[in-house]
Amino acid sequence: MDITKIREKFKSLYGTTGDVYTSPGRINIIGEHTDYNGGFVLPGAIDKAMYCEIKPNGTDKVRAFALDLNESAEFGLEEADAPQQQWARYIFGVCREMAKRGKPVKGFDTVFAGDVPLGAGMSSSAALESCFGFALNEIYGLGFERFEIALIGQATEHNYVGVKCGIMDQFASCCGKEGNVMKLDCRSLEYEYVPFNPKGYRLVLINTCVTHNLAGGEYNKRRESCERVVAEIAKTHPEVKLLRDANMDMLQAVKGKVDPVDYMRAEFVVGEIQRLLDATKAMAKDDYETVGKLMYQTHEGLSKKYEVSCPELDFLNDQAKELGVSGSRVMGGGFGGCTINLVKEELYDNFVKTATEAYKKKFNIDPKVYDVVIKDGARKLA
Ligand code: GLA
């Protein structure tokens, strides 16, 4: 993204120049709704990001300008100073979470903008939190590690936005590495970079351009379902603290004791954690056909058991299947946003053309297509 507009606005609003930082959105190959269950995920940072110019202003107030919305906000840094606008709460939350960890920041001026599509399942909000987390950490010399900045972003979602998200998005945004996905163990936060270069295939996102999930309500309900099942299993297996610690036998043993919907949710999660492990094994053998099959299974589970898909996403998934795409599934939290598709080079053009035309015909919406480019995580630009 061209940052000239950010720089011009910053200069015109504050009469000076600051430092420019960026932090990206993410994709995830497989492992959905596993992070808050302590399982594994396989995300990578992408070439779409949030960008901010920032400079301490010597006061105890933050003056922020959201260029894409053409809106400004001014707020203090005490708990009672929480701003009204949602976008400003992300910035405020990051500052508050830093203060709660004994490292308060002071007032600053900022202008920010981005090219991560909103509501597309590519984690625009994590990109925003990570961008400010990383920038504030550097300009105030706070000494947080990247993974701690990710945790600060996650806590911001929990405490200032109301979404009880896992750690995947913020982690990918902070720790991403060009050309690599991360196999992240969300229980221990141990991770390894896995080069992602599926020869003969392309990875493409198709954005339904619909969002059905309002304020994270359904997302939080999924998490609660998982927690209720864990509580039941823990009665006989106290070592089980998260669904990651459970297996199918333990799950089946509580089948009659938990709500059938909760059971179905948990069944998806336990299966999904295993699917990720199977997919990484297949990747190590360059067996992307197997990876693709697992992606379809993930979609099936997210649609039928976890119920976070929607007709638009299911339609794109069916299209992919009919057009010979190796793997396809809803990506991210669900309820709209993108499908991620692993498609053989030679099928790519026909798939994109046919699927987008069919989608437009059926829903009267122009879907958006993004080729995935895996880039570095949070960094200073200028
Ligand atoms: C959202 C959340 C993540 C993760 C995904 C689903 O993106 O922010 O923590 O739970 O949904 O995998």
Side-chain angles (χ1 to χ4, degrees):
M1 204 186 84
D2 182 12
I3 57 168
T4 319
K5 288 216 169 70
I6 297 179
R7 304 225 78 162
E8 284 169 3
K9 191 71 193 179
F10 194 94
K11 184 91 199 192
S12 81
L13 281 176
Y14 312 119
T16 177
T17 53
D19 295 330
V20 180
Y21 290 87
T22 183
S23 204
R26 60 107 191 86
I27 49 124
N28 184 29
I29 307 292
I30 199 162
E32 221 63 89
H33 291 274
T34 48
D35 58 355
Y36 52 85
N37 287 299
F40 296 92
V41 289
L42 204 57
I46 55 174
D47 61 341
K48 297 183 177 27
M50 297 303 302
Y51 300 81
C52 75
E53 182 163 356
I54 183 165
K55 188 175 193 177
N57 59 19
T59 74
D60 54 4
K61 291 258 185 313
V62 175
R63 294 189 293 178
F65 190 82
L67 196 56
D68 298 325
L69 305 171
N70 203 24
E71 275 184 31
S72 61
E74 187 172 321
F75 50 86
L77 291 160
E78 299 303 323
E79 200 59 36
D81 297 327
Q84 286 303 314
Q85 295 108 308
Q86 174 94 345
W87 62 264
R89 293 179 73 86
Y90 288 109
I91 304 172
F92 175 76
V94 168
C95 299
R96 288 301 307 153
E97 289 298 331
M98 288 178 154
K100 286 181 201 169
R101 287 159 178 78
K103 295 179 179 174
V105 300
K106 300 218 165 60
F108 56 88
D109 293 334
T110 185
V111 172
F112 73 94
D115 59 3
V116 191
L118 303 183
M122 290 152 87
S123 302
S124 51
S125 57
L128 182 59
E129 292 144 13
S130 305
C131 187
F132 278 96
F134 191 82
L136 291 168
N137 187 50
E138 284 220 341
I139 60 176
Y140 288 109
L142 303 178
F144 288 115
E145 302 275 345
R146 282 177 185 262
F147 81 92
E148 294 175 295
I149 297 171
L151 289 167
I152 285 168
Q154 182 195 26
T156 298
E157 294 274 353
H158 287 201
N159 301 326
Y160 297 92
V161 185
V163 179
K164 301 285 177 196
C165 67
I167 190 64
M168 166 166 74
D169 305 349
Q170 292 79 6
F171 205 93
S173 190
C174 288
C175 304
K177 183 167 155 190
E178 185 162 358
N180 287 263
V181 293
M182 283 162 270
K183 183 184 171 198
L184 169 65
D185 180 333
C186 300
R187 186 172 58 185
S188 65
L189 293 190
E190 279 168 13
Y191 66 103
E192 56 180 294
Y193 291 111
V194 183
F196 187 75
N197 182 21
K199 287 202 183 56
Y201 294 86
R202 282 169 75 170
L203 204 54
V204 61
L205 307 181
I206 304 194
N207 190 353
T208 59
C209 297
V210 298
T211 333
H212 298 294
N213 184 21
L214 297 172
E218 285 298 319
Y219 181 94
N220 291 351
K221 278 191 204 160
R222 297 302 179 280
R223 186 174 185 146
E224 287 158 17
S225 283
C226 296
E227 286 167 1
R228 281 193 292 268
V229 175
V230 166
E232 191 59 43
I233 295 175
K235 287 183 186 164
T236 39
H237 299 277
E239 72 281 10
V240 173
K241 307 270 185 263
L242 296 158
L243 278 180
R244 160 75 181 281
D245 312 317
N247 57 38
M248 283 295 180
D249 291 340
M250 294 175 183
L251 193 57
Q252 271 157 16
V254 299
K255 190 162 186 175
K257 298 187 188 135
V258 295
D259 179 280
V261 171
D262 289 353
Y263 183 83
M264 193 166 69
R265 307 283 192 248
E267 201 179 30
F268 164 76
V269 170
V270 174
E272 181 70 356
I273 293 171
Q274 185 57 44
R275 258 192 299 280
L276 184 143
L277 298 175
D278 296 345
T280 47
K281 273 191 206 136
M283 271 171 62
K285 291 188 246 157
D286 280 331
D287 176 5
Y288 285 95
E289 285 306 298
T290 298
V291 175
K293 287 197 183 90
L294 294 163
M295 288 168 72
Y296 277 116
Q297 288 174 22
T298 294
H299 185 86
E300 178 76 11
L302 286 169
S303 179
K304 303 278 159 29
K305 291 186 179 169
Y306 221 61
E307 296 182 295
V308 295
S309 188
C310 60
E312 293 87 349
L313 287 164
D314 288 344
F315 180 82
L316 285 179
N317 188 257
D318 288 343
Q319 284 287 312
K321 223 176 281 169
E322 279 167 30
L323 294 164
V325 171
S326 302
S328 176
R329 63 178 196 80
V330 41
M331 188 181 76
F335 306 105
C338 292
T339 58
I340 179 167
N341 304 276
L342 181 67
V343 52
K344 284 201 174 125
E345 299 264 12
E346 60 269 28
L347 298 179
Y348 177 88
D349 289 342
N350 182 49
F351 164 58
V352 168
K353 184 167 184 297
T354 313
T356 53
E357 283 175 5
Y359 184 82
K360 164 96 200 215
K361 199 162 163 221
K362 174 132 176 100
F363 296 104
N364 201 24
I365 302 170
D366 264 321
K368 293 218 163 54
V369 178
Y370 316 102
D371 284 305
V372 172
V373 182
I374 301 183
K375 298 296 262 187
D376 286 333
R379 61 200 183 277
K380 185 175 179 185
L381 279 188

